[in-house]
Amino acid sequence: GSGGLTGGKQHKQRLRRLFETNRELFEQDTADAVASVAVDAASGVLGLSVCGVHLYDADENVLTPVATTDATVETFGEPPAFGPGDSIAWEAFETGEPRIYDDVQTADGTHNADTAVRSELLLPLGDHGVFIASSPQAGAFDDRTVSMGKILAAGVEAALDQLDQKQQLRETNDRLAEFASIVSHDLRNPLSVAKAGVDVAKRGVGDGDNLDRVERAHDRMTTLIDDLLTLAQEGTDLDEDALESVSLAAVAEDTWDGVATEDATLTVTATDTVAADQSRLRQLLENLFRNSVDHADVAVTIAIGDCDGGFFVADNGPGVPADDREAILERGYTTRREGTGLGLYIVSEIAAAHGWDVKVADSKTGGFRIEITGVE
């Protein structure tokens, strides 16, 4: 009869409005915004006046209510967060299977045994959370409402997936930009060493030592490129297996040989062995040595020695004003026109990956002194 016709009309209209909702879901910038668009649509389009979206909070391991209709709060009070095993909401989320209860009074595992809810519809949103609609009447949700609810839930899940991907893409892009700059920065040093060696060899002065230096510089570049590729793929976390017990003095001397140092000198008093990723430790020292050599106007002396809880690297150069000590470890901070502001940032990143602390202090000679502590 005519009732069926208006039902069909209403169904078409609801489908069209759901379609528009879907577009709106994909225009949101945050998960919370997606959830509130969904809740508005569930209530406005599907007539589910008592409903809400719970999103999974990995830190707390709970489903947190992020969007709820006013009617829900009026009827049942503020919705709770659901933890593992304490509700049918968690069950639906964990199994990924929708749950439809015509009367929850007869269901097992309800969050609240004396609840005023009779009908309940639980639609999982992939690994993001769960959509819940309730009613104080039994048998409140017909098949059409349920199937449209599922369409809405699928849209919410897809929109949240897209937000996750965008976030991952942003993080990857940031990391790539960072590695591009670190690659260009840290390869400059061995490149200039190799270039200087080749120039001398071309002029036919000196001996085979120059080509040995070129070879060492090339080896260093190969190691650096390998390291940076590993970093780009896996982030700054260190592989525990890569840590070895190394002599600080030996690594420092070795690193110094590979730095283009003009007329700078290194004095080593360090006697400790440290647990470190040797190649990354070299990268850290290289950046510290380079920093001292580049900032000194005259022949600079650099010292590396043991200090309480770790080691220090100091020079007798111009030093750092006390106000700038925090800032110089940050990315992009530089006082030289051709500086990249990456050297000391790289130092702090490598130290952080090892779990070490970095502090800029006063050198006894008034120069620059950096202390790395928390070292095993």
Side-chain angles (χ1 to χ4, degrees):
S2 64
L5 212 150
T6 54
K9 247 187 177 159
Q10 187 197 16
H11 185 59
K12 276 198 176 126
Q13 199 181 354
R14 281 162 77 185
L15 270 176
R16 198 171 60 244
R17 286 177 66 191
L18 259 191
F19 189 70
E20 286 160 13
T21 299
N22 224 18
R23 206 172 52 224
E24 205 183 330
L25 288 170
F26 277 87
E27 286 164 359
Q28 306 310 309
D29 293 329
T30 65
D32 288 12
V34 169
S36 67
V37 168
V39 165
D40 290 349
S43 140
V45 180
L46 305 183
L48 302 171
S49 57
V50 175
C51 71
V53 168
H54 282 64
L55 292 181
Y56 179 61
D57 176 342
D59 295 333
E60 303 289 330
N61 196 30
V62 291
L63 291 164
T64 311
V66 292
T68 320
T69 57
D70 295 342
T72 307
V73 182
E74 284 157 24
T75 317
F76 303 116
E78 288 292 340
F82 299 119
D86 69 0
S87 62
I88 47 182
W90 185 271
E91 243 170 78
F93 169 63
E94 202 162 54
T95 59
E97 286 162 19
R99 303 283 169 106
I100 299 126
Y101 296 97
D102 289 329
D103 191 348
V104 290
Q105 308 295 30
T106 59
D108 293 334
T110 6
H111 183 76
N112 176 0
D114 54 359
T115 173
V117 174
R118 296 299 294 273
S119 303
E120 186 139 53
L121 172 62
L122 301 115
L123 302 173
L125 309 167
D127 50 11
H128 304 288
V130 65
F131 167 84
I132 306 174
S134 316
S135 167
Q137 276 92 46
F141 308 128
D142 61 16
D143 291 349
R144 267 187 176 172
T145 304
V146 170
S147 67
M148 292 186 131
K150 286 179 180 172
I151 292 172
L152 175 62
V156 172
E157 184 183 341
L160 292 172
D161 282 345
Q162 184 198 30
L163 278 181
D164 278 358
Q165 284 163 350
K166 277 185 180 162
Q167 180 56 30
Q168 280 174 332
L169 201 61
R170 269 197 298 273
E171 286 168 10
T172 306
N173 283 341
D174 289 349
R175 221 165 66 198
L176 278 175
E178 182 166 321
F179 289 120
S181 52
I182 288 176
V183 166
S184 61
H185 178 271
D186 276 11
L187 285 175
R188 279 194 188 128
N189 183 53
L191 262 175
S192 59
V193 171
K195 201 165 169 300
V198 169
D199 287 346
V200 174
K202 264 176 147 170
R203 292 206 305 275
V205 291
D207 44 29
D209 281 359
N210 291 300
L211 289 177
D212 289 347
R213 287 188 72 190
V214 174
E215 196 174 13
R216 282 203 302 274
H218 282 135
D219 289 345
R220 180 65 191 138
M221 285 190 272
T222 309
T223 310
L224 261 176
I225 289 166
D226 288 346
D227 279 3
L228 289 159
L229 283 173
T230 307
L231 269 177
Q233 285 153 358
E234 296 167 21
T236 48
D237 296 338
L238 271 184
D239 177 7
E240 288 296 319
D241 301 339
L243 295 183
E244 48 188 328
S245 180
V246 292
S247 151
L248 195 55
V251 176
E253 301 277 8
D254 196 32
T255 304
W256 184 254
D257 287 344
V259 177
T261 46
E262 308 306 317
D263 42 8
T265 43
L266 176 74
T267 57
V268 180
T269 59
T271 55
D272 287 348
T273 56
V274 298
D277 174 328
Q278 186 166 339
S279 178
R280 304 278 289 281
L281 177 59
R282 271 198 71 163
Q283 206 182 342
L284 177 147
L285 293 174
E286 226 159 62
N287 276 295
L288 286 176
F289 294 163
R290 180 81 271 145
N291 183 66
S292 292
V293 171
D294 287 349
H295 285 83
D297 303 325
V298 290
V300 66
T301 301
I302 302 170
I304 176 166
D306 306 321
C307 70
D308 198 18
F311 60 94
F312 71 86
V313 176
D315 66 33
N316 60 352
V320 183
D323 299 349
D324 294 351
R325 292 204 181 136
E326 293 290 301
I328 67 167
L329 297 171
E330 284 163 23
R331 183 186 168 81
Y333 179 92
T334 178
T335 52
R336 287 159 54 244
R337 208 176 50 229
E338 69 280 22
T340 57
L342 275 170
L344 295 178
Y345 169 72
I346 293 166
V347 167
S348 59
E349 286 285 283
I350 293 171
H354 283 85
W356 300 339
D357 297 313
V358 181
K359 182 169 107 234
V360 180
D362 252 337
S363 161
K364 290 188 172 49
T365 56
F368 174 72
R369 177 182 169 107
I370 206 158
E371 290 176 2
I372 295 182
T373 53
V375 180
E376 282 178 41

